[in-house]
Amino acid sequence: MRAVIALAMMLSGALPALADTTPAPENQQIAGLSRTPLMLPVTLANDKPALLEAFVTRPANNDPAPVALITNGTADTADFDRFVMNPNRYASTAIAFARHGYAAVVLLRQGYGQSSGAAEYAGGSCAQPHHQLAGERDRDTLLAALKAIRQQPWASPKQAVLVGMSSGGFAMLATGAANPPGVQAVINFDGGRGALDGKSFCDQPGLLKALTDYGKRTTIPSLWLYAANDRAFPPAAAKAMFSAYQQSGAPATFVAMPAFGENGHTFMDSAPEAFWWKQVANFLQQQALPYQPIAELPQTQLPVPSVLNDAGRKAFQEYAASQRYEKAFAIDAQGDWGVAYWARTRDEAAESSLGYCAKQQEAGKAGCHLYTINNEVVPEQTVQR
């Protein structure tokens, strides 16, 4: 009984415009929260228009809430960044902030997913990664996005937190160095650029120089979280980056996180909220920002399919506990299975899980059927593949 786990999905059609904030029925909704995809029109610093793919998760009321602007990391290939990446990869992070009172906006920077333009690394190479230029490009994108978001009735114009993972963490540090009004904190999950093999880096001196510059200019407190088993930026590299940033007295706090999974570099998008929220909550409380829950996480009681073997049961238990929306789990009568996370819609998640289940089947086996979509057991739908 074999299985495949799909952690990313193919692109779909156009998403609703920013003005449409009605929760879409194909996206998982959580009691007390609203989750809505959007395309965000912005005007960059050079007066050039751009369109950025995003997903809003916020308290279900329309009261203005502090903004948590969350941005993505970079994958190993440009094809993944452009054709596979979507905002739901960071759904669990957004849910964590939203259920503590924030209007959490996961924003894909230019060149990622369905966002327009080229990624910040376009035109660079390992010999010349242009760390500082990449930071400037991302800063302009993120500041324009924050300005557009603050025009929405559900977004506070005076309170915001910048949150980023990996290259997105670096981007948020670059943005924080501009000291945008109303931004009260920066949270950097395993941030950096130019990692090769966890031991060497593309222009490490240039990377440290850029971080030194950001730390010299910022007045905004930042929290740096790095896992013990981060394969991109292991502890020594993380501490070197932090020291460079803080050498001029930047208000920053470093937290060494425990190991997570096989590669802790992904803990922001993959680990349960309980793994990291306590450290973030302590930091937010120190900045006089919301940190207490206003909505509860779903309590799922999904029965484990009896046909699954030990590996399948373990995968399903992880599925049931995860907040990685959109997601689906498919099985067949012999115990083959496929699971999909981070789709744009529940329909995409269903299609992908069925496809991955079918790939594991031997000739002559009965078709796979959906078992769950998000936190719901669905009626059996046999699909021959």
Side-chain angles (χ1 to χ4, degrees):
M1 300 181 195
R2 298 161 294 166
V4 167
I5 301 177
L7 297 183
M9 308 299 146
M10 298 298 290
L11 288 174
S12 63
L15 296 175
L18 177 60
D20 182 7
T21 57
T22 302
E26 66 269 22
N27 294 117
Q28 172 71 11
Q29 298 298 322
I30 294 173
L33 303 181
S34 168
R35 298 183 62 242
T36 310
L38 58 84
M39 292 300 290
L40 182 69
V42 302
T43 303
L44 303 177
N46 57 4
D47 291 329
K48 182 179 179 181
L51 194 61
L52 304 175
E53 185 179 7
F55 205 110
V56 177
T57 307
R58 60 180 178 82
N61 60 42
N62 287 316
D63 296 339
V67 174
L69 183 59
I70 302 165
T71 199
N72 57 286
T74 302
D76 293 333
T77 67
D79 281 349
F80 186 99
D81 290 337
R82 174 55 84 187
F83 299 113
V84 178
M85 183 74 75
N86 79 74
N88 272 329
R89 187 175 183 89
Y90 307 96
S92 61
T93 311
I95 290 167
F97 277 92
R99 80 177 201 90
H100 288 88
Y102 293 82
V105 182
V106 176
L107 182 99
L108 299 189
R109 305 187 304 282
Q110 289 196 95
Y112 296 88
Q114 293 181 346
S115 293
S116 63
E120 76 282 349
Y121 55 76
S125 66
C126 191
Q128 293 183 307
H130 305 304
H131 296 305
Q132 196 109 20
L133 177 60
E136 291 172 3
R137 290 172 174 171
D138 284 340
R139 175 201 63 202
D140 291 347
T141 298
L142 292 164
L143 288 176
L146 183 60
K147 181 179 179 180
I149 291 165
R150 282 173 161 168
Q151 295 173 9
Q152 300 308 303
W154 40 260
S156 168
K158 297 180 180 180
Q159 285 187 303
V161 178
L162 306 180
V163 183
M165 168 188 168
S166 193
S167 66
F170 179 88
M172 287 309 194
L173 293 170
T175 305
N179 298 305
V183 173
Q184 294 166 272
V186 176
I187 304 176
N188 166 29
F189 287 85
D190 297 290
R193 293 190 79 243
L196 292 175
D197 54 12
K199 299 178 182 178
S200 56
F201 298 85
C202 300
D203 187 17
Q204 187 174 21
L207 175 65
L208 298 180
K209 181 177 181 297
L211 289 168
T212 298
D213 178 58
Y214 299 155
K216 186 183 301 181
R217 291 190 283 121
T218 191
T219 60
I220 299 173
S222 62
L223 176 67
W224 297 47
L225 302 157
Y226 288 78
N229 64 334
D230 187 323
R231 291 186 180 178
F233 303 110
K239 280 299 185 78
M241 290 188 291
F242 180 74
S243 295
Y245 182 83
Q246 206 187 28
Q247 66 179 252
S248 295
T253 301
F254 187 95
V255 175
M257 297 293 291
F260 174 76
E262 296 182 358
N263 180 7
H265 191 65
T266 65
F267 82 84
M268 188 191 92
D269 61 24
S270 300
E273 175 190 309
F275 181 82
W276 54 267
W277 182 258
K278 180 178 179 181
Q279 291 81 357
V280 169
N282 290 340
F283 174 70
L284 294 173
Q285 184 179 16
Q286 292 167 10
Q287 315 314 318
L289 285 161
Y291 67 96
Q292 295 181 327
I294 63 167
E296 298 300 321
L297 286 171
Q299 297 298 311
T300 57
Q301 300 293 330
L302 298 175
V304 180
S306 60
V307 295
L308 294 176
N309 63 8
D310 288 345
R313 284 193 292 272
K314 181 179 179 181
F316 185 78
Q317 288 166 350
E318 178 182 348
Y319 171 94
S322 77
Q323 300 299 324
R324 290 180 281 180
Y325 299 119
E326 303 294 322
K327 61 181 184 178
F329 201 97
I331 60 173
D332 69 10
Q334 290 76 33
D336 296 305
W337 55 275
V339 59
Y341 295 112
W342 298 325
R344 279 193 171 83
T345 67
R346 55 188 287 147
D347 289 344
E348 282 189 9
E351 184 73 13
S352 293
S353 66
L354 286 166
Y356 286 106
C357 176
K359 286 181 180 179
Q360 305 313 306
Q361 293 184 312
E362 297 174 1
K365 284 190 176 182
C368 294
H369 66 272
L370 292 175
Y371 182 67
T372 53
I373 299 179
N374 289 322
N375 292 333
E376 303 170 5
V377 176
V378 299
E380 183 171 323
Q381 301 174 35
T382 301
V383 178
Q384 302 293 339
R385 291 180 181 274

